[in-house]
Amino acid sequence: MADRVKNSYPTFEINKGYSAKIFEIFDKNKFEQYLLTFNFKYYREDKPTGLTGYFAYFDDEKTEIMKNKIKSFDFVEGGELLFFLFMNTLESFCEIEIEKTHDDLNIL
């Protein structure tokens, strides 16, 4: 699985953190199905705990992002992203661009 993803996304490394932009969705049902397999996160303060760090988007925030033509997500770990990218290489359901944002995943 990792080899196939590496062929399609040469800069991909499982132990890194990424931001992602999704430009076009070819199959909405598959996209939504696989989108649920991992958690995009963004940097914010968690109001109930007062902690600051990377936390998952709230459902209403995901809904707003999904309305945009270009769907941008701040952070996802390579390990979580691997399955999504693999399924997209088997049968393309979206156009996705990933960019390494963090080399050290101990930030969480």
Side-chain angles (χ1 to χ4, degrees):
M1 178 169 42
D3 290 339
R4 186 162 184 154
V5 169
K6 191 76 171 153
N7 286 337
S8 298
Y9 303 92
T11 62
F12 180 79
E13 294 178 57
I14 198 165
N15 60 341
K16 304 296 181 190
Y18 296 89
S19 64
K21 288 185 183 170
I22 297 159
F23 295 94
E24 189 173 347
I25 298 171
F26 312 120
D27 185 331
K28 188 175 186 234
N29 291 332
K30 283 185 183 177
F31 173 75
E32 289 177 352
Q33 175 187 352
Y34 296 127
L35 187 64
L36 297 174
T37 63
F38 62 95
N39 290 314
F40 281 116
K41 299 169 183 149
Y42 70 107
Y43 195 81
R44 65 178 167 87
E45 179 184 345
D46 184 46
K47 300 273 187 225
T49 64
L51 297 173
T52 302
Y54 284 90
F55 295 95
Y57 287 90
F58 294 115
D59 288 341
D60 60 334
E61 293 169 325
K62 287 182 191 174
T63 302
E64 281 302 309
I65 291 169
M66 295 305 291
K67 291 177 185 175
N68 297 330
K69 184 171 181 160
I70 297 175
K71 296 142 189 54
S72 295
F73 297 95
D74 289 351
F75 177 73
V76 66
E77 293 181 36
E80 288 189 17
L81 190 57
L82 179 64
F83 181 71
F84 184 84
L85 294 175
F86 177 70
M87 296 310 291
N88 198 43
T89 61
L90 292 180
E91 187 174 352
S92 185
F93 52 84
C94 73
E95 183 181 333
I96 184 170
E97 178 182 290
I98 59 171
E99 181 179 323
K100 239 182 275 187
T101 54
H102 299 287
D103 287 333
D104 180 8
L105 292 184
N106 293 326
I107 58 171
L108 300 175

